[in-house]
């Protein structure tokens, strides 16, 4: 027996990135802009979508949702009430239930999505502040929702996630009067980790700030179409 | 918790390059910014490798320090906490020089050389 060293030098997530590029090609061909929405569990992603997606059709943006969860279709059922195409993707077929969506899982859901009938696809990732940041799925933009009940230090604890996104939504601001949460401190921490990243303060419950988020999505949804 | 998915990615990459040969060592470079916990990665690696040619292989992990560069003052420095701001010039022009890598550097495989095979 003889031991040989084989030089590899390959990004370990290369396989995922290759599939993400294939997804991206399919999205581009169909003229669909894709958003990867990420947060910790319970930050309010689905409630925010219920609020923000309602009214997008009137702005000329046809939306579809790919709902990622470890199990169940609770969120997809809620969003289907908005009369937008929703596809549920459960990750429990993997190794004990994957804690994130990867490019291959998204790829497997593509045939179920009416890509030719939508302009904007929102992929609601599994609630988790670590793994989703590692796996590109073919998206154009990444949004992360961070709620005020989570504490101001979250950007410092999960820099990978906070550096990976283009927009940070600070949600549940209707709770601020009841908390010791310091928005300025959160923003300062955000600027340490991802200086100048776009941010919006929202309350999915009262609707405060949702209009700005909806406008952001509308701009994204129409921009790509103009190019296509 | 992402160490499980990262271990799978490492094993898959190693298996691809091993081309059926038994792997004894897998060398990985992981940047500090990837937030990898070495012990956890090793723990999962052993489990994920079990049913592959990487079974029983040793995972060698090199943690690459996180280094930033500021184009304003042309300085480079290493960070231990996630602060992506130049102490002198502020956030503009700060780029990451290293610390974001996550790659399989090399593998060691056992080969049956020709004469042994003939014996």
């Amino acid at each position: 027996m003889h031991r040989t060293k084989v030089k590899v030098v390959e990004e370990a997530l290369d396989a995922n990135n290759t599939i993400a590029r294939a997804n991206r090609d399919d999205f581009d061909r169909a003229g669909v802009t894709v958003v990867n929405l990420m947060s910790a569990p319970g930050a309010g992603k689905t409630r925010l979508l219920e609020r923000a997606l309602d009214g997008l059709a009137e702005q000329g943006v046809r939306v579809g949702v790919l709902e990622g969860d470890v199990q169940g279709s609770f969120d997809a059922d809620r969003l289907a009430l908005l009369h937008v195409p929703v596809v549920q993707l459960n990750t429990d077929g993997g190794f004990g239930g994957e804690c994130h969506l990867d490019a291959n899982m998204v790829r497997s859901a593509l045939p179920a999505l009416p890509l030719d009938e939508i302009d904007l696809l929102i992929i609601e990732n599994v609630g988790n502040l670590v793994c989703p940041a590692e796996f590109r799925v073919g998206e154009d933009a990444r949004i992360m929702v961070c709620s005020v009940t989570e504490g101001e230090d979250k950007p410092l604890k999960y820099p990978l996630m906070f550096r990976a996104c283009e927009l940070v939504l600070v949600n549940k601001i209707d709770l601020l009067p009841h908390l010791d949460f310091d928005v300025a401190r959160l923003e300062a921490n955000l600027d340490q980790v991802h200086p100048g990243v776009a941010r919006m303060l929202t309350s999915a419950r009262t609707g405060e700030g949702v209009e700005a988020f909806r406008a952001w999505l509308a701009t994204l949804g129409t921009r790509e179409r103009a190019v296509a | 918790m992402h160490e499980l998915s990262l271990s799978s990615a490492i094993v898959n990459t190693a298996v691809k390059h091993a081309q059926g040969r038994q792997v004894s060592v897998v060398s990985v470079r992981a940047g500090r910014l990837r937030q990898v916990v070495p012990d956890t990665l090793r723990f999962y690696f052993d489990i994920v490798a079990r049913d592959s040619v990487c079974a029983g292989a040793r995972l060698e992990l090199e943690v690459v320090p996180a280094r930033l560069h500021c184009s304003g003052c042309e300085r480079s420095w290493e960070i231990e906490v996630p602060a992506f701001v130049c102490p002198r010039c502020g956030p503009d022009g700060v780029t990451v020089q290293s610390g974001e890598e996550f790659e399989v550097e090399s593998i060691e495989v056992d080969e049956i050389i020709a004469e042994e095979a003939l014996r």
Side-chain angles (χ1 to χ4, degrees):
Chain A
M1 200 72 90
H2 177 73
R3 188 162 284 186
T4 317
K5 190 165 180 170
V6 181
K7 198 100 181 128
V8 177
V9 197
E10 183 175 308
E11 174 73 24
L13 295 171
D14 221 34
N16 182 72
N17 293 339
T18 304
I19 302 169
R21 277 194 294 275
N23 290 348
R24 186 57 195 270
D25 289 344
D26 286 353
F27 295 139
D28 283 348
R29 258 193 299 278
V32 178
T33 305
V34 181
V35 168
N36 186 355
L37 184 66
M38 308 177 288
S39 81
K45 289 186 297 297
T46 311
R47 186 81 187 94
L48 262 173
L49 287 182
E50 283 178 314
R51 283 274 189 170
L53 301 190
D54 195 19
L56 262 182
E58 284 77 3
Q59 299 188 33
V61 181
R62 300 167 302 168
V63 185
V65 179
L66 184 55
E67 187 61 52
D69 284 297
V70 174
Q71 215 165 46
S73 63
F74 309 102
D75 292 352
D77 296 343
R78 281 166 61 185
L79 291 168
L81 296 176
L82 296 172
H83 302 293
V84 296
V86 181
V87 173
Q88 177 72 50
L89 193 52
N90 282 341
T91 63
D92 61 354
F95 194 92
E98 287 284 8
C99 51
H100 61 277
L101 293 180
D102 64 24
N104 200 36
M105 294 183 220
V106 168
R107 188 141 198 87
S108 72
L110 289 190
L113 281 164
L115 288 184
D116 292 331
E117 290 157 33
I118 59 174
D119 308 304
L120 182 67
L121 174 66
I122 313 270
I123 299 178
E124 186 179 336
N125 218 309
V126 180
N128 178 346
L129 281 182
V130 185
C131 308
E134 298 275 9
F135 294 87
R136 293 264 163 194
V137 294
E139 68 275 55
D140 297 88
R142 306 174 118 196
I143 301 176
M144 134 133 259
V145 183
C146 168
S147 66
V148 295
T149 49
E150 293 170 50
E152 305 96 339
D153 50 6
K154 276 291 172 300
L156 305 178
K157 288 181 175 169
Y158 300 93
L160 195 66
M161 174 60 84
F162 281 87
R163 281 180 63 72
C165 59
E166 280 80 37
L167 173 66
V168 176
L169 298 174
V170 182
N171 195 30
K172 303 192 186 178
I173 54 166
D174 54 293
L175 292 177
L176 283 174
H178 311 288
L179 305 169
D180 296 324
F181 189 87
D182 182 349
V183 174
R185 226 176 91 203
L186 171 80
E187 293 208 49
N189 289 339
L190 207 48
D191 281 326
Q192 283 282 300
V193 170
H194 194 163
V197 64
R199 68 208 65 175
M200 290 174 186
L201 302 182
T202 57
S203 165
R205 188 166 161 266
T206 66
E208 195 180 344
V210 170
E211 186 60 51
F213 176 42
R214 189 185 295 124
W216 196 92
L217 289 175
T219 309
L220 201 69
T222 46
R223 186 196 61 185
E224 204 73 4
R225 207 156 25 122
V227 178
Chain B
M1 76 196 292
H2 64 158
E3 282 77 4
L4 172 58
S5 350
L6 297 182
S7 302
S8 306
I10 293 171
V11 170
N12 288 340
T13 306
V15 166
K16 187 177 90 184
H17 288 269
Q19 296 173 320
R21 297 166 290 185
Q22 186 65 36
V23 178
S24 49
V25 181
V26 180
S27 299
V28 170
R29 297 176 77 232
R32 270 293 301 264
L33 300 175
R34 299 304 286 255
Q35 293 185 268
V36 173
V37 182
D39 284 348
T40 314
L41 191 72
R42 285 202 181 86
F43 173 78
Y44 283 126
F45 175 83
D46 289 345
I47 296 173
V48 176
R50 243 178 233 169
D51 297 322
S52 75
V53 289
C54 293
R58 190 172 79 246
L59 178 67
E60 277 184 0
L61 186 65
E62 180 197 345
V63 178
V64 184
R67 282 192 76 78
L68 304 183
H69 179 261
C70 170
S71 60
C73 60
E74 287 299 338
R75 274 190 337 138
S76 292
W77 68 101
E78 206 171 291
I79 52 168
E80 284 298 323
V81 292
F84 297 82
V85 177
C86 172
R88 270 189 227 172
C89 314
D92 295 338
V94 173
T95 49
V96 176
Q97 277 187 324
S98 73
E100 288 181 327
E101 8 338 61
F102 185 64
E103 57 193 26
V104 177
E105 177 79 1
S106 65
I107 55 174
E108 279 180 36
V109 294
D110 294 332
E111 281 184 284
I112 299 163
I113 53 173
E115 28 195 305
E116 279 180 355
L118 289 173
R119 214 173 286 159

